[in-house]
Amino acid sequence: MKDNTALNVTSEIGRLKTVLLHRPGEEIENLTPDLLERLLFDDIPYLKIAREEHDAFAQTLRDAGVEVLYLEKLAAEAIATDEAIKMEFIHEFIKEANVQSESLHNALVDYFLSFNDQDMVNKMMAGVRKEELSNYHRNSLYDLVNVTYPFVCDPMPNLYFTRDPFATIGHGISLNHMRTETRNRETIFAKYIFKAHPRFKGKDIPFWFNRGENTSIEGGDELILSKEILALGISQRTDSVSVEKLAQRILSAPTSSFKTVLAFQIPVSRAFMHLDTVFTQVDVDKFTVHPGIVGPLHVYAITLDPNNPEQLQTVKEVDTLENILTKYLKRPITLIKCGDGDDIISAREQWNDGSNTLAIAPGEVVVYDRNYVTNGILKKHGIKLHIIPSSELSRGRGGPRCMSMPLIRDDL
């Protein structure tokens, strides 16, 4: 890896050097039972404990020599570089919050400018209640009609799952278009970080996908199996068209090392939300897996057409997950079943992301403490575990991989 490389991720398990997190904030406190479905939550985490658990997660990574960066801090630093960038960001944020009233838009601009940069970003993430705009006079038809909903800008409680808004692939990023309006707003922070933050500005970072696309893809469906093999999920949150778009760009890029994209078609359900909720890599030859996708699976191998490099060729394969991974990684693969394959235990621990691990290095992963059966099986397979508390973080339906976006890993 070159010293001046801003991004470098060519595997799921190479030694983790730099990672992006988001510490849960006041957006969690703005969740109510009536808003859970709208904001994609099943329960309301207790913020105090969620923060303590997240701090333990971050410290576990630091203790392992990982540089921990925070989304909210990078976003504030990015807009501080240029007043014009800051104003562009504010106006775009308000527009994407679906604010229709011009007078309300202007009131929000003034409100956001009353904060310093860091507090403003935190407030944007937390959401803005109508009562906070004390000097705003609601006299437009829009304002008079929309009187019952409590927020003028919705909270963004999913932000602590930093895996989904964008994904580091090789030396570039997939700046994703999320499935729902609720989560697509999250990607605006990454847009300005890569546009204006001194750490990334001018580094010629390729964008394999952009948030302005009209089809969806999310980072939980993007797994890097090797420097030549990229796995993408066709799922509840990711369209097949998006997979094809990303494959075309990354396979044809002269700076890319990827030769094959494997598109895994997985069930469309909450329990199988993303590819990384059903399997993650824990060692060079070992994967955790939900028993429900062991096989047979429909997998589509996408490569460039050797006779016409501007075209893709796609081959459908129907086989077990073990056979597919063994074939393309060219080594025998061991699948470690969540809950040891027991129907009841695997269903329970899968709900709490027992198959969702974050590798710090080959054979060394971060896991939730509550998935004790799966953790015990991982230990029996020789995997070193960093076990973190998870009573509140898990209520968001995402595990350690979901809560982290690696920016730099050592190459294997």
Side-chain angles (χ1 to χ4, degrees):
M1 185 183 70
K2 296 179 181 178
D3 292 338
N4 63 352
T5 300
L7 299 171
N8 186 75
V9 178
T10 56
S11 76
E12 289 291 310
I13 59 172
R15 171 65 65 178
L16 184 60
K17 306 300 289 186
T18 303
V19 69
L20 182 72
L21 307 181
H22 169 64
R23 188 173 189 255
E26 295 298 325
E27 62 273 6
I28 301 297
E29 296 284 77
N30 278 330
L31 278 169
T32 67
D34 290 343
L35 290 177
L36 291 179
E37 182 176 0
R38 177 187 178 105
L39 299 179
L40 308 178
F41 265 67
D42 297 303
D43 201 352
I44 301 173
Y46 176 28
L47 179 59
K48 178 179 181 294
I49 303 302
R51 279 178 163 168
E52 291 173 1
E53 292 174 351
H54 197 273
D55 289 345
F57 176 41
Q59 192 58 47
T60 295
L61 296 175
R62 292 190 191 98
D63 290 345
V66 181
E67 178 189 23
V68 175
L69 304 176
Y70 285 98
L71 178 73
E72 58 274 25
K73 184 177 180 182
L74 292 189
E77 291 170 347
I79 61 173
T81 60
D82 187 300
E83 189 66 21
I85 291 288
K86 177 178 176 178
M87 294 308 299
E88 178 186 339
F89 168 71
I90 292 173
H91 286 294
E92 187 171 355
F93 178 88
I94 295 171
K95 180 181 178 182
E96 296 204 5
N98 203 26
V99 173
Q100 302 293 329
S101 163
E102 183 178 353
S103 56
L104 180 54
H105 183 113
N106 294 334
L108 279 166
V109 171
D110 292 339
Y111 180 66
F112 287 138
L113 288 174
S114 70
F115 295 93
N116 64 43
D117 292 336
Q118 187 63 72
D119 289 343
M120 182 184 75
V121 168
N122 293 344
K123 170 50 62 179
M124 288 174 163
M125 293 176 170
V128 180
R129 303 182 189 185
K130 288 180 178 179
E131 64 201 50
E132 294 179 61
L133 300 181
S134 56
N135 296 325
Y136 175 62
H137 302 290
R138 297 167 180 80
N139 50 20
S140 73
L141 178 62
Y142 173 86
D143 297 324
L144 295 173
V145 169
N146 294 277
V147 293
T148 58
Y149 191 67
F151 294 98
V152 290
C153 294
D154 275 352
M156 306 169 81
N158 296 279
L159 272 169
Y160 74 89
F161 300 122
T162 53
R163 178 68 60 163
D164 296 319
F166 77 93
T168 310
I169 303 175
H171 301 312
I173 64 165
S174 169
L175 183 56
N176 295 327
H177 180 94
M178 311 281 273
R179 170 68 73 191
T180 63
E181 180 180 307
T182 291
R183 293 214 67 186
N184 200 47
R185 293 169 54 225
E186 298 174 27
T187 65
I188 192 171
F189 300 107
K191 173 184 175 178
Y192 281 86
I193 287 169
F194 289 105
K195 177 178 182 176
H197 195 282
R199 186 176 181 124
F200 305 105
K201 185 179 180 181
K203 296 296 177 67
D204 197 26
I205 295 170
F207 280 53
W208 310 125
F209 203 86
N210 208 298
R211 66 192 301 269
E213 303 278 356
N214 59 6
T215 60
S216 67
I217 189 169
E218 300 193 356
D221 283 315
E222 298 168 297
L223 280 71
I224 303 169
L225 301 183
S226 75
K227 65 180 181 180
E228 295 186 346
I229 308 292
L230 178 65
L232 301 176
I234 303 169
S235 70
Q236 184 188 58
R237 302 287 179 87
T238 294
D239 297 318
S240 58
V241 175
S242 298
V243 169
E244 201 162 37
K245 288 177 184 176
L246 192 151
Q248 178 69 62
R249 293 165 191 164
I250 202 164
L251 293 177
S252 60
T255 58
S256 169
S257 64
F258 295 96
K259 308 298 182 187
T260 303
V261 171
L262 297 178
F264 289 80
Q265 189 170 4
I266 62 176
V268 178
S269 72
R270 179 73 163 159
F272 294 77
M273 185 193 312
H274 292 128
L275 193 60
D276 72 359
T277 63
V278 291
F279 83 94
T280 52
Q281 189 170 7
V282 296
D283 205 344
V284 291
D285 59 351
K286 298 180 182 69
F287 290 76
T288 58
V289 62
H290 186 295
I293 69 146
V294 170
L297 295 172
H298 290 187
V299 180
Y300 302 84
I302 306 171
T303 56
L304 292 180
D305 185 339
N307 299 316
N308 185 357
E310 295 184 0
Q311 297 292 322
L312 297 177
Q313 62 179 15
T314 303
V315 177
K316 179 179 179 179
E317 301 188 38
V318 181
D319 208 337
T320 64
L321 179 61
E322 182 179 1
N323 287 344
I324 291 290
L325 293 174
T326 296
K327 174 182 176 179
Y328 284 94
L329 294 180
K330 297 180 173 58
R331 63 178 69 97
I333 295 298
T334 298
L335 300 182
I336 303 171
K337 293 181 181 179
C338 178
D340 202 21
D342 180 277
D343 288 346
I344 300 299
I345 298 172
S346 64
R348 183 185 72 244
E349 295 203 352
Q350 176 64 19
W351 183 247
N352 296 310
D353 289 279
S355 297
N356 189 273
T357 63
L358 172 67
I360 293 178
E364 182 179 351
V365 301
V366 182
V367 295
Y368 277 164
D369 59 354
R370 66 187 305 153
N371 298 314
Y372 56 90
V373 176
T374 304
N375 294 345
I377 301 302
L378 287 168
K379 285 181 180 179
K380 288 181 179 178
H381 282 86
I383 305 301
K384 179 180 178 180
L385 302 185
H386 297 271
I387 301 174
I388 63 171
S390 58
S391 66
E392 298 303 311
L393 291 176
S394 63
R395 294 179 190 272
R397 305 277 78 82
R401 186 181 193 273
C402 297
M403 294 191 301
S404 57
M405 174 41 59
L407 301 181
I408 300 175
R409 286 187 183 274
D410 284 346
D411 293 330
L412 290 178

